[in-house]
């Protein structure tokens, strides 16, 4: 997918088309999520034998919430997918010049945020909140949005959240059955492996094979699984050179996004800022999740490809905002 993007997208129209198709995919996924939630059945897209009841969270013994997984059959993978595309959606909202376009894209954004809440993924919630704050802060600094417009957007998001406040409150305040605490011994086990193989690690996909050899007294008897931290997992499997390469990749993507944001291009700049916000969100979420589902990996490399393409289009003389129609000066937000 990433290679296709890099070679296929050679002008702004194709870039815009790809973004639209990604948002269509977001909308369809959200529709599936709502159908699952209303029916209480987590089916796959073909309604095959994989159909089964969704995961549920029960609070205080009498309050139960469903956790749809979309077509991925996993609520955390769904949350990763949604957060990535929601920031693309947010950037595309800032690129819209007509009220009808803003309404359509804004509606998709609101529905996506509601679907994200239904996943009950605290890591995704936290990352999305911080990524959104980053997006709005940079937008204010670049003059893409006024303080008044920013407050209106925050009010709109608050209205979307109102029906979900009970579940958000319960999820953040009630016991999670030790789910969060299990990550601590997993991290200690990962660090034991890293200390034994600091330079080149134990090899890709070998973590689960060798982890039994690095158990210590304080870890024995704990729930064992792959460490729920992407950075530690890469460090343990690929060593110092591997984790350094991964971090450089993320920093490179952020740098390309920053260059595009600085250009104040009407289409590429807000989308580049959305990519940066998505990377910040994912970077935080990676501290408490594995991030190795196929859909998650594909979305990460798609972001990398879009960052490369956006930067290349600017370098090759993408249409400058000054050449855009004069009607853009009256827009409510977005690069002028």
């Amino acid at each position: 997918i990433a290679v296709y993007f890099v070679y296929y997208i050679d002008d702004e129209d194709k870039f815009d088309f790809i973004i639209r198709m990604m948002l269509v995919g977001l909308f369809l996924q959200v529709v599936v999520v709502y159908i699952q939630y209303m029916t209480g059945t987590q089916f796959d897209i073909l309604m095959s034998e994989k159909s089964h009841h969704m995961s549920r969270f029960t609070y205080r013994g009498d309050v139960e919430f469903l956790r749809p997984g979309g077509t991925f059959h996993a609520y955390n993978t769904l949350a990763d997918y949604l957060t990535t595309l929601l920031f693309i959606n947010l950037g595309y909202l800032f690129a819209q010049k007509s009220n009808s376009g803003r309404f359509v894209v804004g509606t998709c954004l609101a529905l996506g945020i509601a679907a994200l809440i239904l996943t009950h993924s605290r890591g995704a919630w936290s990352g999305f909140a911080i990524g959104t704050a980053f997006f709005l802060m940079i937008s204010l600094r670049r003059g893409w949005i006024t303080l008044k417009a920013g407050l209106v957007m925050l009010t709109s998001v608050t209205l979307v959240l109102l029906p979900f406040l009970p579940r958000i409150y319960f999820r953040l305040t009630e016991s999670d059955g030790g789910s969060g605490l299990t990550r601590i011994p997993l991290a200690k086990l990962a660090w034991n492996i890293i200390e034994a193989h600091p330079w080149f690690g134990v090899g890709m996909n070998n973590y689960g094979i060798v982890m039994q050899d690095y158990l210590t007294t304080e870890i024995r008897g704990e729930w064992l699984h792959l460490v729920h931290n992407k950075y530690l997992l890469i460090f343990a499997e690929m060593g110092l050179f591997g984790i350094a390469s991964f971090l450089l990749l993320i920093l490179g993507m952020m740098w390309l996004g920053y260059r595009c944001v600085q250009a104040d291009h009407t289409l590429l700049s807000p989308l580049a800022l959305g990519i940066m916000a998505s990377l910040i969100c994912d970077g935080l979420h990676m501290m408490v999740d594995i991030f190795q589902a196929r859909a998650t990996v594909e979305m990460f490399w798609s972001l990398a490809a879009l960052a490369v393409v956006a930067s290349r289009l600017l370098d090759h003389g993408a249409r400058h905002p000054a050449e855009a129609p004069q009607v853009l000066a009256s827009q409510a937000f977005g690069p002028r």
Side-chain angles (χ1 to χ4, degrees), residues 27 89 92-94 96-111 333:
F27 177 78
N89 193 324
Y92 200 57
L93 175 64
F94 273 56
Q96 298 304 302
K97 308 309 172 189
S98 66
N99 290 331
S100 58
R102 291 172 187 146
F103 175 78
V104 172
V105 178
T107 299
C108 185
L109 180 64
L111 294 174
F333 49 79

Side-chain angles (χ1 to χ4, degrees), residues 87-88 131 134-135 138 253-262 269-283 303 307:
F87 283 114
I88 299 297
F134 169 81
F135 188 101
I138 299 300
M253 294 166 65
M254 292 291 289
W255 170 249
L256 291 176
Y258 172 76
R259 290 183 65 242
C260 293
V261 170
Q262 291 290 102
S269 294
L271 287 171
L273 182 56
I275 292 173
M276 294 177 68
S278 179
L279 288 172
I280 290 175
C281 172
D282 290 347
L303 284 183

Side-chain angles (χ1 to χ4, degrees), residues 99-144:
N99 290 331
S100 58
R102 291 172 187 146
F103 175 78
V104 172
V105 178
T107 299
C108 185
L109 180 64
L111 294 174
I113 292 175
L116 177 62
I117 294 172
L118 294 179
T119 67
H120 291 79
S121 174
R122 292 169 297 183
W125 289 358
S126 302
F128 184 75
I130 294 174
T132 301
F134 169 81
F135 188 101
L136 294 179
M137 179 182 68
I138 299 300
S139 297
L140 283 169
R141 182 163 183 163
R142 301 298 303 175
W144 297 355

Side-chain angles (χ1 to χ4, degrees), residues 74-87:
Y75 39 79
N76 283 331
T77 302
L78 172 63
D80 298 339
Y81 174 87
L82 290 176
T83 52
T84 298
L85 285 184
L86 284 174
F87 283 114

